[in-house]
Amino acid sequence: MATKDFESKTELLKLEDGPEVISLRKCQLIVTDGATRGKKITLSKDKMSIGKREDNDLVVADKTVSRKHFEIDYVDDAFLLRDLGSTNGTYLNSSRVKEVYLSPGDLIKIGGTTLEFVAFDEKVKIDPSDREAFGELVGRSRKMRQIFSILEKISPSQATVIIEGETGTGKDLVAKAIHEHSGKKSSPFIVFDCSAVAANLIESELFGHEKGSFTGAHKSRRGAFEAASGGIIFLDEIGELASDLQPKLLRALEQREIRRVGSNVPVKIDVRVICATNRNLRKEVQAGNFREDLYYRLSVVKILIPSLRERPEDIPLIVEHFLKERPFNKNTDGTLRVTKVEDEALKMFSRYEWPGNVRELHNVVERAVSFADGNTLTRKNLEYIFAELEHGEERTERMTIDSDIPFKDAKQHVVENFEREYLTELLKQHNYNLSKASREAQIDRKHLRNLVKKYDIPTKE
């Protein structure tokens, strides 16, 4: 029977055109009232000036406007308006200003002219990279190679990034790859899961707290932002961030400083922010669940990770990667247990829809390896596993939901049950070693220790 040998080079598949997966934030000034109504300019330079003199980037034909009225600086992924000592002043949403950060929808009035600051997502055409891997990400599909191409460009920068995609698509691997190729590989990479922290603790976990600021705060503690100083903070499940915390996060991003809970003293931060969500944040903004100004601030670069069913041509390469790199396929001496996969087995991998995406594929490959008798993964090794997946044999029972309590409380109960079960199993697998468990789970060790203490799970410490 034909087999695929993973010691040899995989042949490149033919690429097909598909929808773009990258969008960049673009901003414009549009004259909405005045003599030059309808005129607009894209803010494409680090500094742009507006006034009635001909050498301005945007020339406003209005006698009540100064020759150099105001300028806009691009600073830390945001646009800062600065009045240049104009005669009649610059007004933002009816208030006179000297210097202010702009948000989408802001109205700027100078003399008899009104301008609107507009932000929008622009899909861009990206030439696919020649590479088939970036960090731990692998793929030869056009969409993935486009992602590799943009990651090559943005990783060394300080650009804020939003990563969108279904659960299990590898959004965390994108964030890790950016960090590894940022030129600051030795700098901190702090993962903060916005959906995994109790609502009453999330502000303290993000921004830190001072001793005595709340019950149980026995000593001062820095938060995730301070821990990430000089590096990257990865805000996973950003779409779950409570509405009352969104303006505080926005303020931290704009002012590049945070305030610990219980303190009025600002702490300067030098942190690059990468976010991930399985939601469509643009739709969340339209539904009123996510602040537009925060979305604008975060979406300098937006990357949509395709589901596995959208890139079936990547499956053989991903399987190859798992077999070569994952510990479950290695003997104690480091040699590989399975080195080949039958063509029939590969066809079974490719026919399945993979609702759990790459994470589910990883679990299936790991189980199949445990069934393999020799060095070849066969159709027989997979038949039982796919029978379970496709026909629902031995499905996990549906968890009990108490609909008689408020949604927020019910959700918290589900999250706490998940955390308790996950952490118990995680620590058991790592012989209750906190350091090993935190590395495997890719969460901050201090955060893990707090969760373990919360659920009274034993450790070796």
Side-chain angles (χ1 to χ4, degrees), residues 372-383:
D373 294 325
N375 69 343
T376 303
L377 208 60
T378 67
R379 178 188 179 93
K380 184 179 179 182
N381 301 143
L382 294 172
E383 284 176 339

Side-chain angles (χ1 to χ4, degrees), residues 127-409:
D127 292 328
S129 171
D130 292 331
R131 66 200 304 168
E132 295 184 352
F134 193 88
E136 293 184 46
L137 298 161
V138 294
R140 63 169 62 94
S141 63
R142 178 182 177 84
K143 289 182 178 180
M144 289 306 295
R145 293 190 304 113
Q146 283 179 314
I147 290 173
F148 298 160
S149 181
I150 196 69
L151 291 179
E152 290 167 0
K153 295 177 175 64
I154 68 168
S155 292
S157 75
Q158 286 296 311
T160 306
V161 182
I162 286 183
I163 309 161
E164 293 186 354
E166 295 179 7
T167 299
T169 49
K171 298 183 291 293
D172 58 324
L173 299 183
V174 176
K176 286 175 63 179
I178 291 173
H179 178 248
E180 289 171 5
H181 292 80
S182 65
K184 297 182 178 181
K185 190 175 181 179
S186 60
S187 65
F189 178 75
I190 303 298
V191 179
F192 187 87
D193 189 339
C194 299
S195 68
V197 182
N200 62 327
L201 294 175
I202 193 167
E203 183 176 2
S204 168
E205 293 294 325
L206 268 178
F207 304 127
H209 63 255
E210 295 295 342
K211 181 180 178 181
S213 56
F214 56 85
T215 303
H218 301 302
K219 61 181 181 179
S220 296
R221 179 179 177 276
R222 65 178 187 169
F225 267 93
E226 285 185 78
S229 182
I232 290 175
I233 184 169
F234 175 44
L235 301 177
D236 201 5
E237 301 299 346
I238 187 68
E240 308 299 321
L241 189 66
S243 57
D244 60 325
L245 280 172
Q246 291 178 22
K248 295 179 180 180
L249 175 58
L250 176 64
R251 192 180 310 116
L253 295 175
E254 288 187 341
Q255 299 178 1
R256 293 286 168 173
E257 63 183 29
I258 54 96
R259 284 181 171 82
R260 292 182 179 182
V261 176
S263 172
N264 291 320
V265 180
V267 178
K268 288 293 181 182
I269 54 172
D270 174 23
V271 176
R272 183 180 184 182
V273 178
I274 300 175
C275 304
T277 179
N278 58 13
R279 298 174 181 240
N280 183 320
L281 279 191
R282 169 54 70 186
K283 290 184 178 179
E284 292 298 308
V285 169
Q286 293 169 351
N289 299 324
F290 201 83
R291 290 178 64 111
E292 183 178 15
D293 47 6
L294 179 57
Y295 172 78
Y296 147 77
R297 188 64 181 76
L298 294 173
S299 60
V300 177
V301 179
K302 187 168 71 174
I303 301 174
L304 175 62
I305 307 299
S307 64
L308 194 53
R309 63 184 172 275
E310 295 177 85
R311 52 186 187 108
E313 64 267 43
D314 289 341
I315 291 175
L317 197 62
I318 298 172
V319 172
E320 173 184 350
H321 174 73
F322 288 157
L323 292 177
K324 282 186 175 181
E325 303 296 335
R326 293 295 186 261
F328 64 74
N329 191 42
K330 292 184 179 180
N331 296 308
T332 54
D333 62 356
T335 58
L336 301 181
R337 294 178 56 191
V338 171
T339 59
K340 300 176 182 179
V341 178
E342 283 183 353
D343 283 349
E344 289 300 313
L346 282 176
K347 289 177 182 177
M348 292 185 73
F349 280 122
S350 298
R351 283 196 295 263
Y352 185 60
E353 287 292 309
W354 301 108
N357 292 295
V358 178
R359 185 179 298 152
E360 185 180 20
L361 175 60
H362 180 278
N363 293 339
V364 169
V365 173
E366 182 173 5
R367 289 186 66 190
V369 167
S370 69
F371 294 155
D373 294 325
N375 69 343
T376 303
L377 208 60
T378 67
R379 178 188 179 93
K380 184 179 179 182
N381 301 143
L382 294 172
E383 284 176 339
Y384 174 73
I385 300 173
F386 280 114
E388 281 188 4
L389 295 173
E390 293 176 353
H391 302 296
E393 296 176 16
E394 299 185 12
R395 277 186 180 165
T396 304
E397 292 183 6
R398 184 180 179 86
M399 69 177 66
T400 302
I401 303 293
D402 187 355
S403 58
D404 294 327
I405 61 177
F407 169 81
K408 186 176 180 180
D409 295 336

Side-chain angles (χ1 to χ4, degrees), residues 379-445:
R379 178 188 179 93
K380 184 179 179 182
N381 301 143
L382 294 172
E383 284 176 339
Y384 174 73
I385 300 173
F386 280 114
E388 281 188 4
L389 295 173
E390 293 176 353
H391 302 296
E393 296 176 16
E394 299 185 12
R395 277 186 180 165
T396 304
E397 292 183 6
R398 184 180 179 86
M399 69 177 66
T400 302
I401 303 293
D402 187 355
S403 58
D404 294 327
I405 61 177
F407 169 81
K408 186 176 180 180
D409 295 336
K411 179 183 176 182
Q412 187 61 37
H413 289 168
V414 172
V415 170
E416 288 177 349
N417 287 336
F418 161 76
E419 288 179 344
R420 184 182 293 105
E421 292 182 19
Y422 176 85
L423 295 174
T424 300
E425 184 62 28
L426 175 71
L427 286 163
K428 182 179 177 182
Q429 290 177 3
H430 294 280
N431 198 25
Y432 298 95
N433 184 299
L434 206 60
S435 296
K436 290 181 180 179
S438 66
R439 285 195 296 270
E440 176 67 23
Q442 298 177 19
I443 58 177
D444 181 64
R445 189 175 182 277

Side-chain angles (χ1 to χ4, degrees), residues 93-104:
N93 303 324
S94 302
S95 297
R96 187 164 184 167
V97 295
K98 290 291 185 182
E99 188 173 284
V100 66
Y101 282 101
L102 296 174
S103 294

